[in-house]
């Protein structure tokens, strides 16, 4: 009987230590999770930034494309290198007209 | 440490029933408790140390990335883009870098000045040096650098230089559709055109899709520019409109400006003549008078109107440019552009009917277009018989080219008026429309306007196979209360195809001059008409309108 209090203190101590360790473990776990979250957040920010950068790049490129495809510029280039002119009405023929021409030739 | 054993007293026979005393126990317990506390503290501290070490290891070993959270500057909301009806980019907003300097950090002023000038040669060396010499902590060197310039400046490696990101509105098409698009001030607020009209939408980053077709716009501007130089005109306007939807496919005003640098252009260049300038457009008003006569039933098929006689109203003699010695039918009155003819017909219809029709055609009010640049017409306060006569041939009433284009569109659109728009129309049911004249009147008018091109003053606008209809207008300009003979305002309103009118083209020249091949004439038939024809020839392949060479004109009751 005399040692019983010893014996029933010991498991309590163990329980305490165990709980303590568990608590510390939990805190540690929480801490690590938080670090992970922080890292992920930074990663998200990084991704957001690169998305925005890409969007900027895209905007810039579309503006540049629009500038390069500007009709005024294309007109100048076409005149300089291709000797092209806008389509004349006389260059457009309907199928009926072509069929008639064809028939005339055969005759 | 010596192990303490507990003192037990329970064995003593004297104290069988005595309460248990455990002083020694208490001591022992205290010591043990202390040890436990120490142990727990150690664990806690060890735990903390472990956490710190872990974190330290984590940061030093694994975490190479910058943990900084996004700077707020990256989040600037850019103004929305503007596209044409086919999704072609017309206006965009870019993030640009603006270069500033902190003069306190300058080491060698001359060296820095030289280095900066080597990259940005167009800067003023004196001003730049002065800036770098100042005692301020911040001076702008150059706003809105291009990415290439930014990189070049960056590579100079000067510690006093820094960049700030700023949004900038760019118009990659240059002056194309400048008057439609408008421009913004330095704070990105819309000042004119679509930028102003849709400012609140664009501000939220939403794009705007216009009814404009980039290719049609270019064809129109290209031909107008050619006309401006050929005819040496002061100004010109051009409109291409979809008659069936009220959408503006192109709207141009010359001279134009570059919206990328609006401050460098004059206010005259920035003025949108097509929707802001009020003109007495003259004979292009006559289709309206014809519609009035047809609608009111004051002219019967085959009836000849005595235009050879002198016509005098309140001491004013009404004259014709192309004098006729014989009475003319309605078709020829329009084809020969007889002022007397339309005056007589309009007087028959009466002032009330004329005013009603003009009002229904929207000519008594500003054009209900989204653009703020839409001028209110100038109308006579008193509507006498002389007013009826002059208005019938487009005098004594000043409207914008857009207003007349809208009105003629309504007459040709089976007689149904549709509110014009600069926005791409997705849902026709939302467009405001009303019947103005009957289908029959509209049909007859298309025949009459076709006849003007085949047999009248509009011959130069003919494009074979497309059934071009039209009406010329040559008006003397009113200067200091007098009409001046050689200062003309010429216009041509065209529409096609005749079978089922779908597109309207309106060209106006302000003070065109005669050319070598025009026999000294500067009337509409020699300039505006030619330009309209050229525009039609260029836009039909774009619009996908097929030629129809078998078209037979049924000239109902017309012709001589």
């Amino acid at each position: 009987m005399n040692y019983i209090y010893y014996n029933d203190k010991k498991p309590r101590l163990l329980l305490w230590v165990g709980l303590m360790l568990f608590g510390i473990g939990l805190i540690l776990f929480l801490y690590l999770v938080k670090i992970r979250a922080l890292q992920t957040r930074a990663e998200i920010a990084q991704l957001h930034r690169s998305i925005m950068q890409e969007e900027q790049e895209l905007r810039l490129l579309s503006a540049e494309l629009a500038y390069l495809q500007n009709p005024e510029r294309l007109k100048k280039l076409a005149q300089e290198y291709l000797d092209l002119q806008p389509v004349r009405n006389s260059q457009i023929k309907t199928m009926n007209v072509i069929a008639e021409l064809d028939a005339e030739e055969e005759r | 440490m010596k192990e303490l054993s507990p003192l037990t007293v329970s064995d003593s026979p004297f104290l069988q029933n005595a309460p248990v005393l455990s002083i020694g126990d208490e001591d022992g317990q205290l010591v043990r408790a202390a040890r436990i506390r120490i142990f727990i503290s150690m664990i806690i501290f060890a735990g903390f140390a472990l956490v710190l070490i872990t974190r330290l290891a984590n940061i030093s070993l694994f975490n190479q990335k910058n943990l900084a959270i996004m700077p707020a500057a990256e989040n600037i909301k850019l103004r929305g883009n503007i596209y044409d009806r086919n999704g072609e980019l017309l206006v965009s907003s870019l993030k640009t870098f603006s270069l500033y300097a902190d003069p306190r950090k300058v080491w060698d002023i001359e060296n820095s000045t030289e280095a900066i000038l080597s990259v940005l040669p167009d800067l003023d060396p004196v001003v730049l040096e002065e800036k770098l010499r100042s005692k301020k902590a911040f001076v702008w060197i150059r706003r809105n650098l291009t990415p290439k310039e930014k990189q070049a400046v960056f590579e100079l490696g000067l510690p006093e230089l820094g960049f700030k990101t700023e949004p900038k509105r760019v118009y990659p098409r240059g002056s194309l559709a400048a008057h439609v698009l408008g421009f913004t001030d330095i704070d990105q607020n819309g000042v004119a055109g679509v930028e102003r009209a849709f400012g609140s939408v664009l501000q939220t980053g939403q794009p705007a899709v216009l009814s404009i077709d980039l290719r049609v716009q270019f064809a129109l501007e290209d031909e107008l520019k050619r006309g401006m130089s050929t005819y040496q005109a002061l100004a010109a306007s051009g409109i291409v409109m979809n008659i069936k939807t009220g959408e503006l496919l192109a709207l141009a005003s010359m001279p134009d400006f570059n919206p990328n640098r609006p401050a460098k252009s004059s206010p005259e260049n920035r003025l949108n003549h097509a929707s802001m300038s009020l003109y007495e457009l003259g004979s292009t008003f006559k289709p309206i008078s014809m519609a009035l006569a047809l609608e009111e039933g004051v002219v019967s098929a085959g009836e000849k109107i005595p235009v050879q006689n002198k016509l005098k109203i309140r001491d004013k003699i009404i004259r014709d440019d192309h004098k006729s010695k014989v009475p003319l039918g309605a078709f020829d009155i329009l084809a020969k552009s007889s002022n007397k003819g339309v005056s007589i017909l309009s007087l028959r219809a009466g002032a009330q009917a004329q005013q009603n029709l003009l009002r229904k055609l929207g000519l008594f009010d500003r054009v209900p277009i989204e653009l703020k640049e839409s001028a209110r017409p100038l109308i006579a306060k008193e509507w006498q018989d002389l007013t009826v006569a002059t208005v019938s041939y487009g005098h004594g009433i000043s409207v914008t080219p857009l207003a007349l284009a809208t009105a003629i569109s309504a007459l040709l659109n089976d007689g149904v008026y549709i509110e014009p728009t600069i926005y791409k129309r997705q849902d026709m049911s939302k467009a405001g429309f009303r019947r103005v004249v009957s289908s029959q009147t509209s049909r007859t008018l298309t025949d009459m306007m076709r006849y003007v091109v085949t047999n009248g003053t509009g011959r130069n606008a003919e494009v074979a196979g497309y059934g071009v209809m039209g009406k010329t207008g040559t008006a003397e300009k009113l200067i200091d209360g007098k009409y001046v003979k050689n200062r003309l305002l010429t216009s041509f309103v065209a529409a096609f195809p005749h079978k089922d009118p779908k597109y309207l083209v309106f060209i106006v020249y302000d003070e065109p001059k005669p050319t070598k091949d025009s026999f000294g004439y500067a009337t509409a038939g020699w300039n505006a008409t030619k330009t309209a024809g050229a525009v039609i020839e260029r836009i039909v392949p774009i619009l996908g309108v097929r030629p129809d060479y078998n078209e037979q004109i049924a000239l109902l009751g017309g012709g001589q």
Side-chain angles (χ1 to χ4, degrees), chain A residues 6 13 20 28 59 75 89, chain B residues 32 36 51 93 222 537:
Chain A
Y6 249 102
L13 177 69
M20 217 55 159
L28 203 70
R59 267 175 173 269
K75 179 190 163 188
N89 187 37
Chain B
R32 272 193 183 75
I36 290 166
V51 168
S93 273
D222 201 37
E537 185 170 359

Side-chain angles (χ1 to χ4, degrees), chain B residues 531-547:
Chain B
T531 303
V535 170
I536 292 170
E537 185 170 359
R538 276 180 74 165
I539 65 175
V540 282
I542 298 168
L543 298 171
V545 183
R546 295 194 177 188

Side-chain angles (χ1 to χ4, degrees), chain B residues 68-122:
Chain B
I69 307 298
M70 268 187 294
E74 299 274 353
N75 260 328
I76 327 166
K77 193 139 229 174
L78 289 173
R79 202 175 158 85
N81 289 348
I82 303 177
Y83 298 96
D84 88 337
R85 64 181 304 110
N86 301 314
E88 292 284 343
L89 185 67
L90 296 176
V91 187
S92 185
S93 273
L94 295 181
K95 226 182 271 170
T96 59
F97 298 92
S98 289
L99 179 65
Y100 68 90
D102 180 353
R104 297 172 307 177
K105 289 186 188 161
V106 179
W107 277 75
D108 180 343
I109 290 175
E110 276 170 32
N111 189 24
S112 291
T113 310
E114 215 167 279
I116 295 169
L117 283 173
S118 72
V119 177
L120 303 168
D122 51 330

